[in-house]
Amino acid sequence: MNPSEVEALLEKAATQFMLGENAETISTLKLLSDAMLPAEATALAVELHQVALVRASVEWADEASRQRMERGLDRLRQMLGASEASSPAGNEPTAKVAVAATTSSALNQDPELVGDFILEAREHLQTVEAGLLVLEKEPANPETLNAVFRSFHTIKGLAGFLEFAKIQALAHEVETILDLARTGQLVMTPNLIDLTLESSDFVGKEVERIETMLHGQNPGQELDPEALLVRVRAVIAGDHSAPAPKVEEPKLSAAIPLEPVREATVPEVIVETPVPKVVEEVTAAAPGEPSDVKNKKAVATDTHAIRVDTAKLDYLLNMVGEMVIAESMVRLDPELSGTKNTRLQRNLNQLRRVTEEVQKVAMATRLIPVGTLFQRVNRLVRDTSRKAGKMAEVELVGEDTQLDKTIIEELTDPIMHMVRNSIDHGIEAPADRVKAGKPQSGRVQLKAYRQADHIQIEIVDDGRGLNKEKILAKARERGLIGEAVHLTDSEIFQLIFEPGFSTAEKVTDISGRGVGMDVVKKQIQKLRGKIDIQSTPGAGTTFFLKLPLTLAIVEGLVVGVGRERYILPIFSVHEMFRPAEGQVSTVQGRGEMVMVRNQLLPLIRLYRSLGVRPRNEDASQSLLIVAETEGKRFVLMVDEFIGKQEVVIKSLGSSLKNTTGIAGGAILGDGRVGLILDLEAIYTERGLKAQIIKESLLTAC
C-alpha cells in the first residue's frame, strides 16, 4: 500500500468516526492495522481497532473513550508524518505524502461529495461561532469546549479526505489550541476567542469559494491562511498574548449562511438540521438564585433527519397544491354538492380532511426554526458593540418558532440592520448608562412567537428610545407633514421609514437610525408583513414584525368585479361595508373620497384600475373595502364579496408577470382562475393618474 493510500485510509477512518459510522470505522481501522506500517504505528492501529470494536457497541457513550480514539488517530497521523521525515523520499513505503494546495483529487472533483462537505462544514461553523460566544463568558465550559473542538476536528477530517489543504491545515492548528484549552493547559482569553473566530471566518470564506467553483463560477482571488497560521502556531508555542485582530463590521452576506436549508443544485436541503449546536437559553432561576441568572447549556438537535434535493421538494409542494385544487373542484362540483347520498358525502369529507393534513405536512417541510437567524445576532452584537465602544448582551426567546425558509432568508438583512441600529444609536455608552441609573451593559432581546396564522418577531433594546420631537422637527423641515398636522406616537415613529430620513447628528460607519430603514420596511412588506414601533424615552425601543408563516399560500377575500374574480390578501384588509347616503363625495383636487370613521379616504374603483366592465357603477350599490398598503389607507369599490379562502399562489408566467396591479394567480374551488391583487401597485397607479390630471389642469389654466 503506497503512502497516499495509507493517508487516505487514516483520514477516512477519522471522518467515519466523527460522523458516527461505527461499522465503517472498524472496517477501515482493520485495513490500516493490516497495512505495512512501522511497528509502533501498526501496534497503535491495532489498539485503535480493538477500542472501536468494544466501544462502538455502546455508541461511544463514554466521552473519555471518544477522546482516547481522537488522540489515538492524531498520534497515528503524527507517527506517519515522523516516518516521512526520517525516510529517504520515495524509498520508504510508509512515508506520509503531504497534500499540496494544488493537488487535484478525484474525490474533490465529485460534486456530490463536495456538496456534502459544504453542508457539513457550514453546520459545524455555526456550532463553532455559537460556542465561542458562550466561551467568551464561560472560558472553561467543558461541554462547549468539547463541542467546538469536535467541530474543528470534523472539518479537518473532511477537508483532509477531500484534500482541501488550506482548510485542513488551519483547522488542525486551531484544533490544537482548543485541545490545550480542554485539558486545562490554556485559557480561552478574549484574544484567543478573536483568533479562533477569525480562523472560523477564514474557513467559511474558503467553503464559499469551493461552492462557487462547484457551480462553475469564478471564485475570485485565492485566500492565504499563512498569517493566521503564524499567529495560531505562536499561541501553541506558548505565546498567549498575540494581539487581537481588528474588529470589522461583519457583512450581511457572510460566508456562513443562516441555515443549511438553501436553494442550490447539489444535495441541498436539510428538512431538520441534524448537527448539535451550542445555543444560549434563558431558563428560570432556581429558588434562592437571582432572577437574572442565565443558565447556558449545550443543546443537541434531533439527528433523525434526511437530506432532500430542493427540486424534488419544490415539485412535491407544487403537486400537493394541485391536489388541494383538484379536491376542492371535486367537492364543489354541482353534480356532487347537491347529492343526497350520505355515504358519498362522508367520503368527500374524509378526502377533504386528509387533503388538508397532507397540505399542512407538506408546507411544514419548508419551515425551519427562527433560531437559525437569531443565533447570527450574537456575533453581530458582539462585534458591533465593541466597535462602537459599548457593552451589550443578547437575549433570545422563542428560537424554536418556525418560519418558511424563504422568509427567514429574506428577513436576515432587515433584522441585522435593526439590531445594528439598536446598538449604534439606541444603546448608550457605559458611562451614560450608569448616569441614567442603568446597568453598564445594554440588552438587545429578540423574541419570536406564533399568533394565529402569523409569526410575531420583536426586537427590543433598553437604550435611550426614539426622540419624538426630533423626528417631528425633521419631518416638518423636509416637508413630509404640515406644521398644524397632529400625529399619534405610532404615526410619528413610522416617519423613520421614509426614504433617507435620519435624525442622527453624525453618520457612523456602523449605521444610522433611519438610513436604510425605508429598505427595511419595503422588505418586510414584500414578505406580506407589517412593522410597528413602540418607544419610551430613556427606556428603549421595540420593533414589532408581523409575518405570514409561508409565502406559498395566501389567505384572501374573493371578490367579484363584473364577471371576474379577484383575491385581496386578507392581511391588507381592515373592513367591508355598504356605503350610506352621502358617505361618498368628490373633493376638489383629490378626486372621490369616502368618509370612514371621521376620516376621508380616497376611493379606487377597481373596475377602472383593471379595465373590466362592472355590474354597477353606482358606489351606493357596491361593496366598499378599506385596505392598507405602505401605511396608506384607501377604499376599493367592488361588486360583491364571494368568500374567504386560502389559495396556493401560482406564477402568471413571463408574459404576464409585469402586469400592473396583479401579483399572481390562484385556482379557486370552482375551478376558475382568480387573480391576486397587488394593492401597492394599484394605489401607486392611482396616485400617478391623479398627478397627471393635476398637471393637465394646471397646463390648461
Side-chain angles (χ1 to χ4, degrees):
M1 188 176 293
N2 63 46
S4 61
E5 290 174 330
V6 171
E7 182 188 22
L9 269 181
L10 177 57
E11 295 302 338
K12 184 178 181 181
T15 302
Q16 290 168 339
F17 171 68
M18 292 308 297
L19 295 179
E21 299 172 351
N22 294 328
E24 292 82 355
T25 304
I26 293 170
S27 176
T28 306
L29 286 173
K30 182 66 171 69
L31 291 174
L32 266 175
S33 62
D34 292 341
M36 294 180 62
L37 305 177
E40 189 179 358
T42 299
L44 180 55
V46 171
E47 180 187 352
L48 294 176
H49 177 244
Q50 293 301 317
V51 171
L53 280 172
V54 174
R55 302 309 304 172
S57 61
V58 291
E59 296 293 330
W60 297 94
D62 181 7
E63 180 64 25
S65 297
R66 287 190 60 89
Q67 294 181 10
R68 178 184 174 189
M69 176 63 78
E70 291 170 1
R71 288 195 295 269
L73 290 169
D74 279 345
R75 177 62 182 152
L76 186 56
R77 187 181 290 107
Q78 292 167 5
M79 284 181 177
L80 296 176
S83 173
E84 174 197 22
S86 61
S87 303
N91 294 334
E92 179 61 51
T94 58
K96 183 176 186 286
V97 179
V99 181
T102 56
T103 299
S104 177
S105 165
L107 291 174
N108 65 32
Q109 301 302 310
D110 185 325
E112 185 173 351
L113 283 177
V114 175
D116 283 342
F117 166 75
I118 291 168
L119 287 177
E120 293 280 352
R122 281 175 164 162
E123 290 166 9
H124 286 292
L125 287 173
Q126 283 185 312
T127 300
V128 166
E129 184 170 297
L132 288 172
L133 295 178
V134 172
L135 290 175
E136 194 162 38
K137 300 174 183 177
E138 302 177 17
N141 186 312
E143 291 183 3
T144 306
L145 276 169
N146 284 330
V148 176
F149 171 83
R150 282 196 294 269
S151 289
F152 266 110
H153 184 77
T154 303
I155 290 171
K156 179 192 73 174
L158 293 172
F161 184 61
L162 293 174
E163 299 187 8
F164 294 129
K166 292 182 179 179
I167 294 177
Q168 181 190 18
L170 183 59
H172 175 70
E173 300 294 350
V174 175
E175 175 193 42
T176 304
I177 289 181
L178 293 167
D179 192 44
L180 291 172
R182 288 196 312 165
T183 55
Q185 302 174 56
L186 190 65
V187 177
M188 293 300 290
T189 63
N191 279 355
L192 290 187
I193 295 287
D194 286 339
L195 183 58
T196 312
L197 279 171
E198 193 174 354
S199 301
S200 172
D201 289 344
F202 178 90
V203 173
K205 291 173 184 175
E206 271 296 290
V207 170
E208 191 174 57
R209 290 185 71 256
I210 292 169
E211 184 179 39
T212 303
M213 289 188 287
L214 181 66
H215 295 157
Q217 301 170 356
N218 182 7
Q221 186 176 359
E222 193 172 5
L223 303 175
D224 185 2
E226 191 56 38
L228 264 177
L229 285 169
V230 169
R231 290 164 55 199
V232 172
R233 286 166 180 159
V235 171
I236 296 171
D239 180 8
H240 302 164
S241 60
K246 181 182 178 181
V247 177
E248 295 184 356
E249 180 66 10
K251 297 180 180 178
L252 292 179
S253 56
I256 305 172
L258 54 112
E259 175 69 19
V261 178
R262 57 193 168 79
E263 300 292 342
T265 55
V266 277
E268 300 305 80
V269 73
I270 297 182
V271 178
E272 294 180 27
T273 310
V275 60
K277 295 190 290 187
V278 177
V279 298
E280 182 173 317
E281 286 194 344
V282 180
T283 58
E289 288 184 332
S291 60
D292 61 345
V293 170
K294 295 179 182 179
N295 299 315
K296 302 173 184 68
K297 59 182 179 179
V299 179
T301 58
D302 185 10
T303 58
H304 296 85
I306 59 172
R307 287 180 184 152
V308 181
D309 190 280
T310 304
K312 290 180 181 178
L313 185 63
D314 288 342
Y315 183 72
L316 170 65
L317 295 172
N318 188 52
M319 287 298 100
V320 169
E322 295 293 338
M323 182 182 70
V324 171
I325 293 166
E327 181 274 331
S328 182
M329 291 171 64
V330 170
R331 180 168 43 84
L332 298 177
D333 187 283
E335 293 188 13
L336 292 179
S337 59
T339 183
K340 303 298 183 182
N341 188 323
T342 56
R343 180 181 176 185
L344 178 59
Q345 287 293 342
R346 187 168 61 250
N347 290 340
L348 287 173
N349 289 335
Q350 177 65 11
L351 175 62
R352 181 182 184 183
R353 284 193 293 271
V354 172
T355 304
E356 288 176 348
E357 285 302 311
V358 171
Q359 184 184 28
K360 288 179 183 177
V361 172
M363 296 310 302
T365 62
R366 297 182 64 90
L367 302 180
I368 57 176
V370 74
T372 56
L373 168 58
F374 282 6
Q375 286 299 322
R376 296 184 65 184
V377 173
N378 280 304
R379 174 77 180 276
L380 178 71
V381 169
R382 173 190 184 272
D383 292 348
T384 305
S385 58
R386 291 180 66 181
K387 188 172 184 179
K390 299 177 181 179
M391 300 169 62
E393 295 181 353
V394 181
E395 183 179 330
L396 307 178
V397 179
E399 298 146 284
D400 293 335
T401 306
Q402 295 193 324
L403 258 178
D404 189 300
K405 73 182 186 69
T406 304
I407 295 180
I408 286 186
E409 289 165 358
E410 295 290 333
L411 200 58
T412 302
D413 284 6
I415 293 262
M416 296 298 187
H417 189 86
M418 286 185 282
V419 169
R420 274 204 307 267
N421 273 318
S422 294
I423 299 295
D424 194 26
H425 295 293
I427 301 293
E428 308 95 331
D432 294 334
R433 291 182 63 85
V434 171
K435 288 179 183 178
K438 297 181 179 180
Q440 274 192 329
S441 180
R443 178 176 60 88
V444 176
Q445 186 182 57
L446 270 73
K447 299 180 184 178
Y449 50 92
R450 183 165 178 173
Q451 282 191 331
D453 60 343
H454 281 74
I455 294 294
Q456 186 94 355
I457 294 179
E458 297 179 13
I459 303 169
V460 187
D461 70 62
D462 64 348
R464 57 173 58 93
L466 294 175
N467 189 321
K468 291 188 296 183
E469 290 72 22
K470 209 169 184 179
I471 294 173
L472 272 175
K474 189 70 174 181
R476 285 174 175 144
E477 176 188 324
R478 294 188 52 192
L480 297 175
I481 57 173
E483 292 292 334
V485 174
H486 176 74
L487 299 178
T488 64
D489 287 357
S490 178
E491 290 170 333
I492 292 172
F493 297 147
Q494 286 291 323
L495 290 170
I496 72 170
F497 294 115
E498 292 293 325
F501 188 93
S502 177
T503 60
E505 296 177 358
K506 63 176 181 178
V507 177
T508 71
D509 58 350
I510 299 176
S511 65
R513 191 181 289 276
V515 177
M517 292 300 283
D518 59 319
V519 178
V520 168
K521 185 172 184 179
K522 286 179 181 177
Q523 186 73 353
I524 300 300
Q525 290 176 333
K526 175 185 172 185
L527 298 173
R528 304 205 308 265
K530 294 181 179 179
I531 182 168
D532 291 313
I533 305 174
Q534 287 182 4
S535 186
T536 303
T541 303
T542 302
F543 288 91
F544 297 90
L545 279 61
K546 187 177 181 181
L547 298 154
L549 288 172
T550 177
L551 296 178
I553 292 178
V554 63
E555 185 177 15
L557 300 181
V558 184
V559 299
V561 180
R563 300 176 59 185
E564 305 300 329
R565 300 287 182 269
Y566 299 102
I567 301 163
L568 300 176
I570 203 166
F571 63 84
S572 297
V573 175
H574 286 272
E575 60 180 305
M576 297 183 295
F577 62 94
R578 297 278 182 184
E581 186 177 352
Q583 197 170 359
V584 179
S585 59
T586 301
V587 178
Q588 186 176 3
R590 299 180 66 183
E592 287 186 293
M593 307 291 288
V594 184
M595 181 66 73
V596 182
R597 304 186 188 282
N598 297 319
Q599 184 179 9
L600 276 177
L601 300 177
L603 175 67
I604 298 177
R605 295 175 177 259
L606 200 53
Y607 67 87
R608 289 180 181 169
S609 297
L610 301 174
V612 298
R613 185 188 298 274
R615 297 179 191 173
N616 198 317
E617 296 189 10
D618 185 355
S620 63
Q621 301 299 315
S622 301
L623 179 70
L624 302 186
I625 300 175
V626 179
E628 180 178 356
T629 181
E630 289 281 347
K632 305 292 191 295
R633 289 195 181 188
F634 56 97
V635 177
L636 287 172
M637 188 178 110
V638 301
D639 289 336
E640 63 175 332
F641 168 64
I642 297 173
K644 189 177 85 168
Q645 184 177 341
E646 273 192 351
V647 296
V648 179
I649 300 174
K650 299 286 185 182
S651 172
L652 295 178
S654 57
S655 59
L656 297 174
K657 69 177 181 179
N658 294 322
T659 304
T660 302
I662 304 299
I667 300 177
L668 304 177
D670 58 4
R672 296 180 62 181
V673 173
L675 296 177
I676 302 169
L677 297 181
D678 181 351
L679 297 183
E680 180 184 348
I682 290 173
Y683 182 83
T684 302
E685 185 187 34
R686 168 200 172 272
L688 292 174
K689 287 181 178 177
Q691 183 65 25
I692 292 172
I693 293 172
K694 182 178 179 181
E695 290 175 356
S696 299
L697 290 172
L698 289 173
T699 302
C701 294

